[in-house]
Amino acid sequence: MHAWEVARPGPIEGEPLRFVEKPIPVPRDDELLVHVRACGVCRTDLHVSEGDLPVRRPGVTPGHEVVGVVAGTGRAVSGYAVGDRVGVAWLRRTDGTCAYCARGAENLCPGSEYTGWDTDGGYAEYTTVPAAFAYRLPQDLDDVALAPLLCAGIIGYRALLRASLPQGGRLGLYGFGGSAHLCAQVALAQGATVHVLTRDAAARRLALELGAASAGGAAEPPPEPLDSAILFAPVGELVPVALRALDRGGVLAVAGIHLSDVPPLRYERELFYEKELRSVTSNTREDGREFLTLAARHGVSATTHAYPLSRAQEALRDLKAGRFDGAAVLVNDLPPRH
């Protein structure tokens, strides 16, 4: 099969990925073999490619927003058949036995594994996934529309939960890429007032089209104090900016897996009055199921830009340069192999 692999982690402008031929993977007993139809392009893929996230598997194939069909099953799998449509997301496997898994916090499992980081992901014609971590997908959305929901959407929803937005509250979103524009739709559907703060003019226009009450520059104060805020941009300098924008008792959730250094915080100006700063670590499968249900109920949809699988490196360059709003999706335009 054709697949991309991270040959030498480094700046995407230096082409750290290589398009190669690999054997079609063989699923383990508890896994599905998935023929990839589409795979979203996530900023985490950029972090893996550029080495911001330490290499866990040399030559790994990125990609963890996969929409595909089952092409084979391991011997211990039941409940899935060849041809079933499934989604593959970032969280790939947990140990299921640790204290975190036992209390429903499997996203904190020390033995967790991740698609496109620990194991080969969806920038390929085929990938595998443990059947217990695959998502059954609605039939009324096409592959390209669904792909970003499987990470950008799920992580955005997890961040919204971590931000503890009160009913009808005022939410600030810092950065407005693939994840934020899906999170905004959920928050708006639930009755929130949403203020978007981003440096990108096209993203500000998209925010207003989706129903945001305002859209300003990332460093500008919002027009009113915020009950909650989510930092999607991987820019640590925005942490004190967002904390200052919070009302008393407000919560800031940092949604990214990678963040540049945070400058010193001044207690009285940025943390006093019981403001809270929280991180977001992956998601649970229940988060994913809840989000996909809400997305179907409220018509949450991604603004997408399709690239053929062979142009994955170009898509990552465009993501880094901010050349599109919404989310990029790789489309596997190669015929299935047998």
Side-chain angles (χ1 to χ4, degrees), residues 20-71:
V20 299
E21 289 247 347
K22 288 184 174 183
I24 294 174
V26 176
R28 293 162 60 176
D29 286 353
D30 66 341
E31 293 180 346
L32 307 174
L33 174 65
V34 179
H35 177 235
V36 177
R37 287 182 173 175
C39 182
V41 177
C42 180
R43 188 165 292 275
T44 301
D45 303 332
L46 183 64
H47 294 319
V48 170
S49 301
E50 295 199 316
D52 296 325
L53 295 179
V55 172
R56 288 193 172 182
R57 178 179 177 179
V60 72
T61 294
H64 55 274
E65 297 179 334
V66 178
V67 176
V69 295
V70 176

Side-chain angles (χ1 to χ4, degrees), residues 66-311:
V66 178
V67 176
V69 295
V70 176
T73 62
R75 291 180 299 176
V77 172
S78 61
Y80 284 97
V82 171
D84 287 350
R85 192 187 197 200
V86 294
V88 182
W90 174 237
L91 183 65
R92 175 185 176 83
R93 191 185 291 276
T94 60
D95 63 26
T97 60
C98 70
Y100 303 100
C101 289
R103 73 183 196 213
E106 65 181 5
N107 59 308
L108 301 178
C109 174
S112 56
E113 296 179 3
Y114 299 94
T115 310
W117 191 20
D118 293 294
T119 58
D120 287 342
Y123 286 24
E125 293 182 74
Y126 291 86
T127 190
T128 60
V129 61
F133 287 79
Y135 289 94
R136 298 185 185 274
L137 298 177
Q139 298 300 317
D140 55 345
L141 288 178
D142 66 27
D143 299 333
V144 171
L146 271 171
L149 303 187
L150 290 163
C151 179
I154 293 172
I155 293 297
Y157 178 65
R158 176 76 184 184
L160 186 60
L161 294 177
R162 291 286 291 160
S164 296
L165 180 68
Q167 184 66 37
R170 302 158 295 178
L171 174 68
L173 301 179
Y174 287 80
F176 203 70
S179 192
H181 90 292
L182 294 168
C183 175
Q185 293 175 59
V186 174
L188 288 164
Q190 294 177 335
T193 298
V194 175
H195 299 286
V196 170
L197 302 112
T198 178
R199 66 183 182 181
D200 185 79
R204 291 197 294 269
R205 289 193 294 271
L206 176 61
L208 295 174
E209 291 170 6
L210 291 174
S214 73
E220 298 175 7
E224 60 180 337
L226 305 172
D227 298 300
S228 303
I230 304 172
L231 177 58
F232 287 102
V235 182
E237 288 83 357
L238 290 176
V239 169
V241 172
L243 285 169
R244 288 195 295 270
L246 292 176
D247 204 350
R248 299 181 181 208
V251 176
L252 170 62
V254 178
I257 192 173
H258 171 78
L259 187 70
S260 62
D261 289 344
V262 178
L265 300 176
R266 289 164 292 184
Y267 179 70
E268 290 189 5
R269 188 173 182 188
E270 286 134 12
L271 288 171
F272 197 52
Y273 295 118
E274 298 192 353
K275 297 180 182 181
E276 295 183 45
L277 174 61
R278 299 177 179 176
S279 65
V280 177
T281 300
S282 186
N283 62 275
T284 67
R285 282 170 285 177
E286 185 59 27
D287 293 333
R289 289 187 287 265
E290 286 180 6
F291 169 72
L292 291 171
T293 298
L294 285 171
R297 180 183 305 156
H298 297 301
V300 173
S301 62
T303 297
T304 56
H305 306 269
Y307 293 73
L309 176 63
S310 59
R311 290 169 53 196

